[in-house]
Amino acid sequence: MIQQVENPALEIHDLTVSYDKKPVLWGVDLTIPKGALCGIIGPNGAGKSTLIKSIMDLIPLNSGYVKLFDQELDDVRKKISYVPQRESVDWDFPASVLDVVLMGRYAQLGLFKRPRKADRDAALSALEMVGMDKYAKRQIAQLSGGQQQRVFLARALTQNADIYFLDEPFAGVDAATEKAIIQILKNLSSEGKTIVVVHHDLQSVETYFNWVILLNLRLVASGPTSDVFTPQLLEETYGGKLTLLSEVGELVKKGGFHAREKQ
Amino acid sequence: METLVEFFTFEYPNIKYVVFGTILLSISSAVVGCFTFIKKKSLVGDVVSHAVLPGICISFLASGSKDPFLLIIGAFISGWISIVVMDAIIRNTKIKEDAATGLALSVFFGVGILLMTYIQHSGNASQSGLDTFLFGKAAALVGVDLLAFSIIAVIVLIVVFLFYKEFKLVSFDPQFAKVIGLPIRRLEIVLTSITVLAVVTGIQAVGVVLMAAMLITPAAAARFWTNRLSRMLVIASFFGAFAGISGAFISYSTPSMPTGPWMVMILSIIALFSFFFAPGKGIVVNQWRRFKIQRQLLEENLLKAFFKIGEGNNDYFKEIEANDLRLARAFSSGQLNKGLRKLNANGYVERVGSAWRLSKEGHDKGKRITRLHRLWELYLTKYLRIAPDHVHEDADTIEHVITPELESRLEQLLDYPTADPHQSTIPSRH
């Protein structure tokens, strides 16, 4: 069940990606409509984060292409916001909460320029949105996991983007934070922004998302939650990995092949 | 004293140049070192400082002159090559970062020493002085050398000033930096280049072997004093500059004392001092805090013992022998003596012959601790469903932590109770 849409916010065409020479995503081909609040669902090791990272051009593609608003990534970077996994940075870094949130404005500022008053205002109002305005001066090492995630979301909010990619924003955060974050995401979505979230709690999928991508090394399904979030498709996603696919992947790695022959 | 005045009035222009040069070199190393430090690439400085040696030798062999600019270019190129080689090893082989670092360092340094030995034995008249790079010689920082190295140090500082925001983001979260469209590859190249340049200039003062200390020590020391990158850069620069001046002064005032090693010595002393005494992170400060808490616990436990005995006697102000306190709670005799003396000094107990008696204030304090202890025991049994015979230990700790505000909330939550789970009376607040 892969539903394609006209005039999509995100288009992924025939995407194949390898990690350490082993293919981890095979031929993913999908489109997401504008304004969707979309969850990427699948078991551990299914390639969910890999999919987001390859959309963001953080890992090289073996084949295929990604388009955002029908344009190349480099042409629309200012409309994109990315919230990496919390564990991807060292929270012992010498910076305050405000310092980190201000980083969201660096792209708008351009090289050589220091953050202006307006950028501080934007950062503070983003902090207020995530309920962290009282912590602006706090050293980031002193934050709890949920607070760190809120800070990362605030940094993304300062970018005023049109499409947001969040990698596991609910992993290891408290219930109050999860609730606050999903509310913010729903508000953004109702303003017409597109949101893509890596998620793995099946319980909350139906209440959180209106579009679902089921992923397990290959694309199982992509479409409106009510069509895609069905027992059969979930069974297909979670019911054991395709052992044949994994074994072929291992062979590709061992033999030193490339997942796609170079033309 | 005379030497001090003589030194700082710059009576001899030579001193002025040497001091100026060492300060500039120290600051540029310290600033760049902050970034290698927060990127957890501290050993890169060590690799580069050893790896510039072959570049210096080759450029001397090729040109036959000691023109500082030519030597710097040679040093810069071989320093860069070492980093590229190191990254290539990590990326393309199974060798991990630590081994790759060791490999690059020793191989490049080995080649450098080999060339240096060859030059020394080739009888080239102008070779004397080339070995200042090996051990550094800040006093030789005069004339065109000083000019060359100062220019580079200033360039390094300007680049950091211009790219501060970008370097910060790339160091903290390179993935995010890439997604928002920062040219991270080019920024990394710039950052690596100024690291190499800072090393190339710094080794003039301290030599290849001690160079890593010039990069990393000011940053490591500064990190103890602040949680902001901008302040860390300033503090590290200050430490570097201070070490520069001090090193120059020591070598000026005491014959046969080298500048560079003294700079490193002073930096090490600053780092050690920070390690022990920096507020919030220093070991001594933390130890002192722990000591004060220990003392508070002892005093409060003693007052609680007084109160408990008084409760049994139905007279809180009767004299109590020190040994009787040990029946209420296992105090060592050392603790008992120390604690009672302290309580006496603070007016919580008074001495009556060989015995002790609570003062009014001591009684109130002992009562409060007992009260908190019993309130907390009740809270644990009621809200955490812990069996009454398991709550004592926990309450023994928590009684010292609870603030008056929490006390009120606890009381309200438990609906102003009068007895704890063991049916002991919870003493009233007043």
Side-chain angles (χ1 to χ4, degrees):
Chain A
M1 197 356 268
I2 295 164
Q3 186 174 323
Q4 306 288 2
V5 295
E6 291 294 309
N7 196 11
L10 168 69
E11 177 190 2
I12 297 175
H13 181 81
D14 270 344
L15 184 92
T16 297
V17 183
S18 305
Y19 244 146
D20 193 17
K21 292 183 184 146
K22 181 183 169 186
V24 287
L25 282 177
W26 301 72
V28 174
D29 193 288
L30 60 85
T31 44
I32 295 178
K34 285 176 187 152
L37 177 46
C38 166
I40 303 180
I41 318 290
N44 286 332
K48 303 186 295 289
S49 293
T50 306
L51 181 62
I52 281 209
K53 283 188 183 148
S54 46
I55 295 169
M56 299 283 95
D57 195 25
L58 290 171
I59 34 181
L61 312 183
N62 293 127
S63 76
Y65 63 79
V66 173
K67 281 194 169 176
L68 294 144
F69 305 108
D70 205 29
Q71 283 174 296
E72 297 289 327
L73 177 68
D74 277 331
D75 301 326
V76 287
R77 281 199 191 270
K78 289 203 171 143
K79 292 186 189 169
I80 296 166
S81 195
Y82 170 53
V83 180
Q85 284 185 22
R86 195 157 49 80
E87 294 84 14
S88 67
V89 304
D90 172 17
W91 290 90
D92 214 15
F93 192 87
S96 68
V97 166
L98 187 64
D99 285 337
V100 171
V101 178
L102 272 172
M103 288 174 182
R105 303 286 287 188
Y106 284 10
Q108 270 134 299
L109 275 172
L111 288 174
F112 310 132
K113 297 213 183 69
R114 294 284 140 100
R116 305 152 299 178
K117 271 231 167 73
D119 300 307
R120 289 176 62 89
D121 293 350
L124 285 172
S125 79
L127 275 173
E128 207 179 325
M129 274 179 79
V130 300
M132 288 282 292
D133 42 329
K134 288 198 193 86
Y135 296 83
K137 291 220 157 82
R138 189 75 67 92
Q139 143 76 0
I140 53 171
Q142 296 163 354
L143 301 178
S144 71
Q147 291 171 331
Q148 291 173 351
Q149 194 65 59
R150 286 170 189 238
V151 169
F152 259 11
L153 180 61
R155 178 176 72 174
L157 291 173
T158 62
Q159 292 178 264
N160 299 322
D162 288 337
I163 184 163
Y164 291 78
F165 294 90
L166 297 90
D167 200 347
E168 302 259 14
F170 304 125
V173 307
D174 51 289
T177 297
E178 176 157 347
K179 215 171 142 192
I181 292 178
I182 195 66
Q183 195 50 52
I184 291 170
L185 298 183
K186 282 185 171 169
N187 293 346
L188 288 171
S189 165
S190 65
E191 288 166 24
K193 316 271 190 185
T194 313
I195 324 275
V196 181
V197 183
V198 170
H199 189 58
H200 61 215
D201 173 29
L202 291 177
Q203 304 286 336
S204 48
V205 170
E206 283 178 294
T207 48
Y208 285 2
F209 305 113
N210 56 29
W211 192 275
V212 167
I213 294 172
L214 291 176
L215 200 70
N216 190 355
L217 299 182
R218 81 291 183 198
L219 183 66
V220 177
S222 164
T225 309
S226 51
D227 298 345
V228 167
F229 203 67
T230 62
Q232 298 93 307
L233 286 171
L234 282 174
E235 171 64 31
E236 205 185 314
T237 315
Y238 284 84
K241 280 185 192 165
L242 292 187
T243 41
L244 187 87
L245 199 56
S246 306
E247 277 170 38
V248 172
E250 280 297 337
L251 282 178
V252 169
K253 181 184 171 184
K254 275 192 198 134
F257 296 98
H258 289 281
R260 288 284 184 277
E261 287 180 43
K262 287 254 152 48
Q263 278 117 16
Chain B
M1 189 62 213
E2 244 172 72
T3 339
L4 200 70
V5 173
E6 198 175 275
F7 179 81
F8 281 105
T9 49
F10 302 121
E11 214 167 278
Y12 306 102
N14 233 6
I15 304 176
K16 200 178 351 184
Y17 295 137
V18 171
V19 169
F20 178 73
T22 44
I23 290 179
L24 213 50
L25 300 191
S26 309
I27 292 180
S28 71
S29 312
V31 165
V32 169
C34 283
F35 287 100
T36 43
F37 179 79
I38 55 171
K39 283 169 69 91
K40 301 192 182 66
K41 298 266 185 208
S42 295
L43 284 175
V44 167
D46 212 14
V47 175
V48 173
S49 60
H50 285 79
V52 295
L53 201 57
I56 291 168
C57 293
I58 291 172
S59 122
F60 174 77
L61 280 173
S63 69
S65 82
K66 275 196 320 180
D67 178 354
F69 285 103
L70 287 174
L71 296 186
I72 288 171
I73 291 171
F76 182 76
I77 293 173
S78 71
W80 242 110
I81 293 176
S82 72
I83 289 180
V84 172
V85 167
M86 204 165 65
D87 282 345
I89 292 176
I90 296 168
R91 217 172 327 108
N92 298 321
T93 70
K94 283 205 180 302
I95 295 173
K96 301 286 181 250
E97 190 166 353
D98 57 335
T101 308
L103 268 176
L105 185 149
S106 43
V107 170
F108 274 79
F109 192 52
V111 173
I113 292 289
L114 192 139
L115 289 170
M116 183 81 93
T117 316
Y118 168 75
I119 293 170
Q120 274 166 352
H121 290 283
S122 67
N124 190 327
S126 62
Q127 62 86 17
S128 66
L130 203 60
D131 53 354
T132 57
F133 283 100
L134 205 48
F135 299 112
K137 196 173 179 197
L141 267 178
V142 283
V144 68
D145 283 9
L146 177 71
L147 186 70
F149 291 110
S150 303
I151 290 174
I152 291 180
V154 170
I155 290 176
V156 167
L157 290 174
I158 291 176
V159 170
V160 171
F161 182 78
L162 286 177
F163 290 99
Y164 170 71
K165 153 169 124 307
E166 283 74 21
F167 287 163
K168 180 172 159 184
L169 179 50
V170 168
S171 307
F172 174 62
D173 191 350
Q175 292 195 341
F176 184 79
K178 186 170 181 197
V179 170
I180 67 170
L182 287 190
I184 60 164
R185 271 196 68 83
R186 265 173 278 167
L187 284 168
E188 289 283 359
I189 289 173
V190 173
L191 190 52
T192 306
S193 297
I194 60 168
T195 310
V196 178
L197 281 176
V199 167
V200 171
T201 55
I203 57 172
Q204 262 297 299
V206 298
V208 295
V209 185
L210 294 180
M211 187 54 217
M214 292 282 290
L215 278 177
I216 301 310
T217 321
R223 185 67 183 85
F224 278 100
W225 297 91
T226 178
N227 282 325
R228 300 287 301 276
L229 182 57
S230 49
R231 278 177 219 156
M232 186 175 152
L233 292 179
V234 174
I235 295 171
S237 308
F238 175 75
F239 287 162
F242 179 74
I245 299 179
S246 315
F249 174 69
I250 290 171
S251 88
Y252 173 76
S253 57
T254 319
S256 75
M257 280 296 175
T259 311
W262 266 109
M263 287 163 66
V264 174
M265 284 298 296
I266 291 176
L267 280 177
S268 312
I269 292 168
I270 294 174
L272 274 179
F273 179 82
S274 310
F275 181 68
F276 284 113
F277 297 106
K281 293 192 191 112
I283 284 182
V284 172
V285 176
N286 284 340
Q287 211 59 42
W288 174 245
R289 199 180 303 142
R290 212 166 298 152
F291 169 75
K292 284 217 311 217
I293 289 174
Q294 285 299 330
R295 207 169 63 188
Q296 182 204 341
L297 291 187
L298 175 61
E299 289 176 27
E300 293 185 353
N301 285 335
L302 276 171
L303 289 175
K304 200 172 60 170
F306 269 104
F307 186 84
K308 197 172 172 191
I309 295 172
E311 216 175 17
N313 293 342
N314 247 326
D315 178 3
Y316 295 105
F317 301 102
K318 203 172 150 193
E319 295 92 51
I320 293 169
E321 292 291 332
N323 271 334
D324 291 341
L325 289 168
R326 294 167 99 165
L327 299 175
R329 190 188 175 95
F331 295 105
S332 75
S333 51
Q335 279 179 321
L336 210 52
N337 286 331
K338 207 170 66 180
L340 285 171
R341 229 181 312 128
K342 200 79 204 166
L343 286 174
N344 188 19
N346 285 332
Y348 288 125
V349 299
E350 56 202 61
R351 189 159 203 154
V352 187
S354 68
W356 302 83
R357 185 168 58 200
L358 275 180
S359 71
K360 163 93 173 53
E361 290 70 28
H363 163 263
D364 291 352
K365 199 160 177 187
K367 185 165 100 172
R368 176 164 187 268
I369 301 296
T370 309
R371 181 179 140 75
L372 292 179
H373 182 97
R374 291 177 185 166
L375 276 174
W376 189 251
E377 284 189 337
L378 191 60
Y379 175 75
L380 287 182
T381 48
K382 257 187 136 167
Y383 282 85
L384 276 74
R385 292 173 207 285
I386 298 174
D389 53 337
H390 287 177
V391 292
H392 178 78
E393 305 259 297
D394 188 40
D396 244 3
T397 317
I398 302 302
E399 67 194 20
H400 305 288
V401 178
I402 294 176
T403 59
E405 191 234 341
L406 278 172
E407 183 185 348
S408 305
R409 278 171 55 193
L410 204 53
E411 216 177 10
Q412 198 184 1
L413 197 66
L414 295 167
D415 199 19
Y416 305 95
T418 51
D420 78 354
H422 313 100
Q423 306 313 319
S424 305
T425 311
I426 296 178
S428 67
R429 195 190 277 242
H430 300 292

